[in-house]
Amino acid sequence: MTIFICPGIHAPELTDNLIENLELSRDRLLILPSTIPPYSGIDVLNFLNKNSDRISSLLFLAFSAGVVGAIFAALAWQSQGGKISAFIALDGWGVPLTGNFPIYRLSHDYFTHWSAALLGSGEESFYADPGVNHLELWRSPNTVRGWNNTRHYKTCCSASEFLLKLLQRYDYLPQSSDKIE
């Protein structure tokens, strides 16, 4: 499986920080370059198609404006016969999230979480409490505390714990990972 990272419009160093914070192996990542507009679904899809020889199954990890292009590309990729394990949107406020694959939403504060959920909250969600700066959720998920929400329960955790749990669920991390409690 490949994790496709579709950042927002920000310095690439913030995405590097995310990768380091989550201790992701770069050999399993495909990262949208900053030269491609992340909000352009066609451009994101073209990038995926150009790199399709590296892809068997995709897990989308998108942030901010990148959620716009990534959800379009995910739906188009799937319609072309591509396999999508899951779609994780970080601060994709105002972006309707729907698809025939598991969807998860993370938000930098409760208002963003609540209002974005009107457009689809997904299987599980996370919101920061107390709220944090928009970019902090992407750059430093290990410092962001909040709530993991499902239909049946709500638990306190960090954004990185929530993300790592999802990556483990979709076989990106070993099931016995000591990163997750």
Side-chain angles (χ1 to χ4, degrees):
M1 176 186 54
T2 299
I3 294 180
F4 175 56
I5 297 181
C6 193
I9 301 170
H10 52 74
E13 293 79 26
L14 278 86
T15 300
D16 292 338
N17 289 344
L18 172 83
I19 292 166
E20 289 172 21
N21 273 297
L22 296 177
E23 298 179 20
L24 301 178
S25 172
R26 287 192 181 265
D27 64 336
R28 297 185 69 186
L29 301 178
L30 180 61
I31 304 169
L32 186 73
S34 59
T35 56
I36 297 174
Y39 49 81
S40 171
I42 295 294
D43 290 328
V44 174
L45 180 61
N46 287 339
F47 175 77
L48 286 175
N49 284 329
K50 288 178 186 172
N51 289 280
S52 63
D53 58 322
R54 296 182 47 197
I55 302 169
S56 59
S57 174
L58 283 174
L59 183 143
F60 281 76
L61 185 59
F63 174 65
S64 193
V67 176
V68 177
I71 194 66
F72 174 90
L75 294 168
W77 180 260
Q78 189 177 53
S79 73
Q80 295 173 7
K83 185 175 183 304
I84 299 175
S85 300
F87 188 96
I88 304 171
L90 285 85
D91 264 355
W93 189 82
V95 180
L97 295 181
T98 184
N100 191 21
F101 40 80
I103 296 173
Y104 305 90
R105 199 185 274 274
L106 288 85
S107 302
H108 75 278
D109 64 19
Y110 180 74
F111 175 77
T112 304
H113 167 75
W114 171 84
S115 56
L118 298 172
L119 299 172
S121 60
E123 307 275 320
E124 258 181 276
S125 62
F126 172 91
Y127 68 89
D129 183 20
V132 297
N133 176 285
H134 171 68
L135 293 174
E136 187 176 345
L137 182 63
W138 186 251
R139 176 189 63 234
S140 307
N142 56 318
T143 66
V144 178
R145 300 291 302 169
W147 296 98
N148 171 8
N149 297 288
T150 70
R151 287 178 174 76
H152 306 292
Y153 65 88
K154 181 175 166 179
T155 57
C156 187
C157 67
S158 72
S160 62
E161 289 168 332
F162 181 77
L163 288 167
L164 290 169
K165 178 180 76 167
L166 295 177
L167 295 177
Q168 186 179 63
R169 182 178 298 163
Y170 293 101
D171 295 326
Y172 182 77
L173 297 174
Q175 293 298 316
S176 62
S177 174
D178 58 356
K179 289 184 190 179
I180 304 165
E181 298 176 8

